[in-house]
Amino acid sequence: MPQKIRKAVFPAAGLGTRFLPATKASPKEMLPLVDKPLIQYVVEEAVASGIESIIIVTGRDKSAIEDHFDISFELEHLLRERGKETTRKEVRAISEMARISYVRQREALGLGHAVLQARDQVCDEPFAVMLSDDIVDAEVPALKQLINVYEKYESPVIGTMQVAGEAISRFGALDVDEIEDGVYEVKDMVEKPTFGEAPSDLAIIGRYVLTPDIFNEIEQTTAGAGGEIQITDAMRSLLKKRPFYAVRFEGTRHDAGDKLGFLIATVEFALKRPDLAEAFRAYLRSLKV
């Protein structure tokens, strides 16, 4: 039996430049999608996938993330006094959903470098990497779909989806052979290729199941696209030594790190809320466009 995936690394030290000026003093990961911050949705996905330990890689001005997942005695006391017990329980549940630890990335040197900072916490276990920009609305959690494939093939697994046209240049792209419906063996991967150089329309999305030998590859990886240490380059190096697989996960992925994507996600999630959907849908219908 393959070793169980118990830990997930959440890189959260980026500068959030696509959302300036909102992210000048507030972490991008704490932007609210309806009434929960982005990172909470992804932590909930991790927990629903069987993850027990969350390792968040933070940087300067990210203390709001730690505060959000901590206990707030004063707030809970106030809610109890005001008779808002349901809300108090919701607030307390945030701090009890998983074991959460933190490690600092002193400089924003890329996703690969961020993952490397969690090496001591991960130790010699396989682990997940999850990006809070990618909000996936799925019946079976996207990470769980990857874990299922990892358990079958006992190898690293990458989340992927099809991306049309020039948009592929914003992602890592995969060269693959399909071995099952929606499951691929990876032959190669390229970080942010031009449209003409992309090996396929399958893009790497912010869900990974990795093995601990990735850390040695990251250490030996030099700066690539954007002058950063890219996780794709490290995975491409490891691919020469062991198989990699990819899963075209079922579900809707929202790019909540993009302004338009964030707005679309807000509308979609609001319309799924029983307490908001009817009034919000009526408002949308009333708009003159």
Side-chain angles (χ1 to χ4, degrees):
M1 290 291 292
Q3 194 171 0
K4 182 182 178 183
I5 307 295
R6 301 187 310 116
K7 299 177 180 179
V9 175
F10 283 67
L15 301 177
T17 53
R18 287 193 288 174
F19 268 95
L20 287 171
T23 51
K24 181 176 181 289
S26 300
K28 172 187 62 177
E29 296 79 10
M30 292 300 295
L31 291 173
L33 186 54
V34 186
D35 57 1
K36 291 193 295 189
L38 295 176
I39 194 169
Q40 184 176 333
Y41 284 92
V42 187
V43 169
E44 289 173 350
E45 178 190 324
V47 172
S49 301
I51 296 297
E52 301 168 4
S53 178
I54 305 292
I55 303 156
I56 302 178
V57 182
T58 65
R60 290 185 299 276
D61 302 321
K62 299 282 186 168
S63 59
I65 297 174
E66 298 185 35
D67 290 342
H68 180 71
F69 289 106
D70 201 356
I71 293 173
S72 177
F73 292 105
E74 297 85 354
L75 176 60
E76 290 186 32
H77 177 72
L78 179 64
L79 292 171
R80 183 182 286 110
E81 281 193 334
R82 294 183 176 179
K84 297 183 177 181
E85 187 61 16
T86 299
T87 304
R88 187 199 69 79
K89 289 180 179 178
E90 290 177 356
V91 169
R92 171 53 70 100
I94 295 170
S95 60
E96 295 178 341
M97 66 175 66
R99 296 194 304 273
I100 300 179
S101 58
Y102 302 88
V103 62
R104 278 286 189 112
Q105 184 185 20
R106 295 176 182 175
E107 297 179 80
L109 297 178
L111 178 56
H113 183 263
V115 171
L116 184 60
Q117 307 314 300
R119 184 176 198 167
D120 289 344
Q121 284 78 9
V122 170
C123 300
D124 293 323
E125 297 185 36
F127 64 102
V129 175
M130 307 183 73
L131 305 186
S132 299
D133 283 359
D134 289 317
I135 304 296
V136 182
D137 186 11
E139 185 174 344
V140 177
L143 179 61
K144 179 60 177 172
Q145 296 178 48
L146 269 66
I147 290 174
N148 290 341
V149 173
Y150 163 79
E151 290 175 345
K152 182 173 182 177
Y153 293 100
E154 301 185 34
S155 294
V157 184
I158 304 167
T160 186
M161 73 175 194
Q162 291 178 294
V163 174
E166 300 281 351
I168 193 68
S169 63
R170 297 189 286 109
F171 300 86
L174 297 174
D175 185 11
V176 299
D177 285 327
E178 190 165 17
I179 57 174
E180 300 178 33
D181 183 26
V183 179
Y184 308 87
E185 184 167 4
V186 178
K187 297 190 295 183
D188 198 5
M189 56 190 86
V190 183
E191 179 65 18
K192 297 181 179 177
T194 63
F195 175 61
E197 295 175 338
S200 75
D201 62 354
L202 289 174
I204 299 173
I205 303 305
R207 299 291 185 274
Y208 311 78
V209 173
L210 299 173
T211 45
D213 46 359
I214 191 66
F215 292 121
N216 288 335
E217 302 303 326
I218 296 173
E219 282 188 322
Q220 298 172 36
T221 298
T222 55
E228 299 180 334
I229 298 173
Q230 301 290 348
I231 192 68
T232 302
D233 293 336
M235 292 191 300
R236 191 182 192 193
S237 178
L238 186 57
L239 179 61
K240 299 173 183 177
K241 304 173 184 177
R242 66 178 306 152
F244 265 74
Y245 295 86
V247 177
R248 191 181 70 240
F249 56 79
E250 297 181 3
T252 302
R253 176 255 185 185
H254 297 282
D255 181 4
D258 171 79
K259 291 175 186 175
L260 178 59
F262 180 81
L263 292 172
I264 292 171
T266 299
V267 172
E268 295 278 357
F269 276 78
L271 289 174
K272 290 169 67 73
R273 286 276 298 264
D275 58 330
L276 296 173
E278 184 177 353
F280 189 45
R281 187 173 286 107
Y283 166 71
L284 293 175
R285 286 172 176 160
S286 74
L287 294 176
K288 306 248 190 256
V289 293

